[in-house]
Amino acid sequence: MISRFFIDRPIFATVLSVVITLIGGIALLYLPVAQYPRITPPGIVVSISYPGASAQVVPTTVAAPIEQQVNGVQGMLYMSSQSGNDGSYSLTVTFDVGTDLKTALVMVQNRVALAMPQLPTEVQNQGITIRKKTPDILMIVNLYSPDGRYGRHLPEQLRHHFP
């Protein structure tokens, strides 16, 4: 009955659909970008390359001065670092959940700048990369059936791991 109204009046139906589409497009601009609060702590990653250095040299010449300066940044939870045998070094500074990441980035940049004169000339020439890091994986879900009827596709080696 109502469909007959729109079938008999195709111009009215077209105008109405265009109006609905425009209203939806305008409403899309006002929708919130992030509806839920952050629950995983953000971080800042400091990456350095020391060409020709081994994994034993990097901690003493590069990591120690930078970690001494960065330690104690406001809002910091913890730091973790990795050094490779190719002269690469990466320091991840993890902050509280409510910390403004832009402010934290500036604070870490200022602390790394204080450590720059203590670093080898090769590292200063290569430059230091400092960037924001937000964790991607929040949760991994694993589903299983207690009676095993949905796990038939698993190989025999894996079936004994899943009840």
Side-chain angles (χ1 to χ4, degrees):
M1 182 149 170
I2 196 163
S3 61
R4 189 48 135 176
F5 178 81
F6 290 103
I7 292 172
D8 291 341
R9 295 166 182 84
I11 296 174
F12 179 75
T14 304
V15 170
L16 187 63
S17 66
V18 168
V19 168
I20 290 173
T21 303
L22 287 176
I23 290 173
I26 292 170
L28 186 65
L29 297 174
Y30 293 102
L31 288 176
V33 174
Q35 187 174 7
Y36 301 106
R38 293 183 187 258
I39 59 173
T40 55
I44 304 291
V45 177
V46 180
S47 301
I48 297 174
S49 178
Y50 187 3
S54 66
Q56 291 81 21
V57 174
V58 172
T60 57
T61 59
V62 176
I66 289 187
E67 289 176 7
Q68 286 174 354
Q69 290 295 330
V70 173
N71 193 12
V73 172
Q74 184 180 3
M76 181 183 83
L77 289 176
Y78 59 89
M79 294 188 306
S80 63
S81 63
Q82 294 178 342
S83 55
N85 208 22
D86 59 348
S88 63
Y89 171 72
S90 175
L91 173 68
T92 303
V93 184
T94 305
F95 289 90
D96 287 328
V97 175
T99 305
D100 181 27
L101 206 51
K102 291 179 184 177
T103 306
L105 179 67
V106 171
M107 288 189 297
V108 170
Q109 284 175 339
N110 290 341
R111 295 286 184 104
V112 170
L114 291 174
M116 281 293 278
Q118 300 172 355
L119 299 177
T121 309
E122 292 85 2
V123 173
Q124 293 178 9
N125 292 340
Q126 288 284 329
I128 297 175
T129 305
I130 304 172
R131 60 182 169 82
K132 300 178 203 175
K133 175 187 174 191
T134 54
D136 294 335
I137 297 178
L138 179 60
M139 179 174 55
I140 297 175
V141 178
N142 184 13
L143 302 175
Y144 71 95
S145 62
D147 57 0
R149 64 181 169 169
Y150 295 112
R152 291 189 183 102
H153 65 281
L154 291 174
E156 282 298 322
Q157 297 90 346
L158 295 177
R159 273 197 207 170
H160 70 285
H161 292 292
F162 300 100

